[in-house]
Amino acid sequence: MENFRQRLRFGNKVENVKLRKRKSQLYSEEDECPLNNARVVVFSVVFRLINCFLVQTSFVPDEYWQSLEVSHRMVFKYPFGENLTYGYLTWEWKEGLRGFSYPLFFAFIYKILYFIKLDSVNLLKWLPRITQALLAAFADVKFFFLIRSLESRDVAKWTFFCHLCSWFTWFCCTRTLTNSMETTITCLALFYFPLSGSKTHSSKKYLILVALAVVVRPTALIVWFPLLMYHFWQEDDKLRLITHNCLPIGFVLLISYPLKLYFYWTMVQFNFLKFNIFHGVADFYGSHPWHWYFTQGFAVVIGPHLPFFLHGCTLAFKRYKILLAAVVWTILVYSLLPHKEFRFIYPVLPFCMVFCGISLASLKTRRRAAAFFLFATNLVLALYTGLIHQRGTLDVMGHLQTLCDASSSQTPPQPDVLFLMPCHSTPYYSHIHCPMKMKFLECPPDLGEEGYVDEAERFYDDPLHWLQTSFPYKSSLPTHLVLFDVLEKEISVFLQGNNFVKTAEMFHTHLPEGRVGGSIFIYERH
């Protein structure tokens, strides 16, 4: 009972205690050698840059439509003297559900390229991803140093190995997703979080980073809620924590609001909750049963590390129970929401790697065999998902970008591209970088309109009828059509009747599903 009163007491003064310097080999000078630290930094940077260039596939539309497309529209103007930007904003931006903080980060990079006249399409595509990779490498280094301060050199080494081996981290960390940035910032914040035994903790620094993560993606608060409560409960001087350390988090959040108000007079976090939670708009993009994360989602994200994670939980439950609580809490909260995606629980993956590393380090026999198993299985998954699976939607944009020369010429016909695909299947102007005329099937959700059916649904209900009614005259036809192979047979009459000829075919996936086919075709009108 006395201990309970002490925890609730505000303003406790705790005398500083001098700790005896430990002389164990676990704290040898080799651990603090600047050369060894430099090797970790260089290795992490090189590893993540290789990671960046070996991920040439698409994952979800948000990695372009909620970042690069917004940035491109903010910076670049028509090259023909018109003082107008070109690009596209999805319905979320028009309704004020998204904050501009993350796109502004890439817009700053684009603006520099624009001023020095190096805004080639390749730099626009790759420089944001290289920047994301360097930030991920910085987070990797901090993660390693954190574990080295908490555990033995052996455990730190195997934890870092598990972290770098993770196929899902490889697949996601260099993408321009808010989830990727959220995970990177979470790793950095964990370095300063007051874990038991941590020598790197700083309440002020980790709270600022948590605030920054919330600015980038409001749902970051889900991951950090149990950690924040744990810190408050464990803190002796709670009043000082609130007055001296919690103020920075409010300061960072206050800075972000004038930025939001500059673009639209609304509260992004409130709109995000209103539309996605209270109005259930997120369900429009698919729903899953409540147990999906437990039966499928988490197992896919953690991949071959799963048995090591479970074993590590039995070994280090007491020592790192707050990290395990954060993992379980995050999965439980996201399980309550109908719309589920693998990337939503990505920020807790580094927490899981702590348990995996402890498990691997504890193996007395067959440790090398277990490590080889992790390396080989994750390597196959990483290379397949990074180089093969769902690459067609990026390859097709590279092909269409060659039409930009025709678009800038004054001789007709100028290219006019129509994407007959599920909406947002491909990137847009950020991967073309010229004001070529393009159109895709739009799919904003029902925001209260009676009898509303989005354009993409109307098209897929009867593709041939939609095309015939949308283009009654040949003069109104686009010059190029982009479609998945599963649609070709259904609209073959329209293609033949209007002299469309297949000019390119790109592989997309070995696992076609529904409206997404295995290949992408480009048809050109002759």
Side-chain angles (χ1 to χ4, degrees), residues 326-339:
V327 173
V328 175
W329 163 265
T330 301
I331 295 174
L332 280 172
V333 172
Y334 277 116
S335 295
L336 298 176
L337 305 178
H339 181 62

Side-chain angles (χ1 to χ4, degrees), residues 147-399:
I147 304 304
R148 197 177 66 176
S149 74
L150 293 171
E151 299 288 344
S152 68
R153 187 172 54 198
D154 196 45
V155 171
K157 177 182 69 175
W158 288 112
T159 303
F160 195 50
F161 171 80
C162 289
H163 177 66
L164 295 183
C165 269
S166 169
W167 81 270
F168 198 78
T169 298
W170 174 281
F171 184 61
C172 283
C173 73
T174 65
R175 295 183 184 274
T176 51
L177 277 166
T178 52
N179 308 88
S180 301
M181 183 62 82
E182 176 192 356
T183 305
T184 295
I185 297 173
T186 294
C187 255
L188 295 174
L190 189 65
F191 179 80
Y192 298 107
F193 183 77
L195 287 169
S196 177
S198 172
K199 304 174 185 63
T200 61
H201 64 84
S202 168
S203 298
K204 188 171 292 185
K205 289 180 180 179
Y206 104 80
L207 285 171
I208 290 175
L209 288 166
V210 170
L212 184 60
V214 172
V215 169
V216 170
R217 188 170 178 85
T219 51
L221 196 57
I222 295 174
V223 176
W224 279 98
F225 179 77
L227 295 165
L228 292 170
M229 293 299 101
Y230 170 83
H231 180 199
F232 185 77
W233 180 258
Q234 293 291 329
E235 184 65 37
D236 291 318
D237 196 343
K238 293 178 173 57
L239 183 60
R240 181 177 178 81
L241 174 66
I242 294 171
T243 57
H244 287 70
N245 295 324
C246 288
L247 288 180
I249 191 170
F251 178 71
V252 173
L253 291 173
L254 281 174
I255 290 176
S256 72
Y257 277 106
L259 181 63
K260 296 180 179 75
L261 294 176
Y262 176 79
F263 290 100
Y264 33 59
W265 288 85
T266 186
M267 290 184 63
V268 171
Q269 282 81 1
F270 173 74
N271 284 340
F272 187 88
L273 290 173
K274 181 179 76 171
F275 279 90
N276 289 312
I277 308 299
F278 304 134
H279 292 178
V281 171
D283 306 359
F284 177 81
Y285 296 105
S287 60
H288 299 80
W290 68 269
H291 55 76
W292 185 81
Y293 282 118
F294 293 98
T295 56
Q296 298 178 53
F298 181 70
V300 169
V301 169
I302 199 169
H305 288 78
L306 181 59
F308 299 95
F309 169 71
L310 296 175
H311 178 230
C313 288
T314 63
L315 298 176
F317 171 76
K318 289 184 179 180
R319 180 159 172 73
Y320 296 112
K321 58 186 175 183
I322 183 56
L323 296 183
L324 185 59
V327 173
V328 175
W329 163 265
T330 301
I331 295 174
L332 280 172
V333 172
Y334 277 116
S335 295
L336 298 176
L337 305 178
H339 181 62
K340 300 174 177 65
E341 294 187 38
F342 297 116
R343 62 190 173 102
F344 291 170
I345 59 172
Y346 172 41
V348 300
L349 191 56
F351 299 177
C352 300
M353 293 302 113
V354 175
F355 297 96
C356 295
I358 291 171
S359 169
L360 204 56
S362 72
L363 298 179
K364 302 302 180 185
T365 59
R366 299 185 179 179
R367 182 190 292 178
R368 290 183 180 273
F372 178 78
F373 165 78
L374 273 180
F375 175 77
T377 52
N378 278 281
L379 180 65
V380 171
L381 288 169
L383 292 180
Y384 179 76
T385 57
L387 294 173
I388 300 173
H389 180 59
Q390 295 186 171
R391 69 168 298 133
T393 51
L394 294 182
D395 291 341
V396 76
M397 299 309 289
H399 184 87

Side-chain angles (χ1 to χ4, degrees), residues 97-149:
L97 268 74
R98 303 283 181 174
F100 281 85
S101 306
Y102 188 57
L104 269 176
F105 178 62
F106 299 120
F108 178 71
I109 297 173
Y110 282 178
K111 199 69 175 178
I112 294 174
L113 293 175
Y114 173 74
F115 277 131
I116 62 178
K117 300 186 185 305
L118 288 177
D119 53 317
S120 67
V121 68
N122 283 325
L123 282 177
L124 295 182
K125 287 190 297 185
W126 284 104
L127 201 54
R129 292 209 38 213
I130 290 171
T131 305
Q132 190 79 44
L134 293 175
L135 290 172
F138 182 51
D140 292 343
V141 171
K142 287 292 188 180
F143 182 72
F144 172 73
F145 289 158
L146 170 66
I147 304 304
R148 197 177 66 176
S149 74

Side-chain angles (χ1 to χ4, degrees), residues 377-430:
T377 52
N378 278 281
L379 180 65
V380 171
L381 288 169
L383 292 180
Y384 179 76
T385 57
L387 294 173
I388 300 173
H389 180 59
Q390 295 186 171
R391 69 168 298 133
T393 51
L394 294 182
D395 291 341
V396 76
M397 299 309 289
H399 184 87
L400 292 175
Q401 204 277 331
T402 61
L403 301 175
C404 282
D405 293 336
S407 177
S408 60
S409 69
Q410 299 300 318
T411 56
Q414 291 188 350
D416 181 358
V417 182
L418 174 62
F419 295 89
L420 296 176
M421 313 167 81
C423 62
H424 308 128
S425 291
T426 67
Y428 215 44
Y429 283 106
S430 66

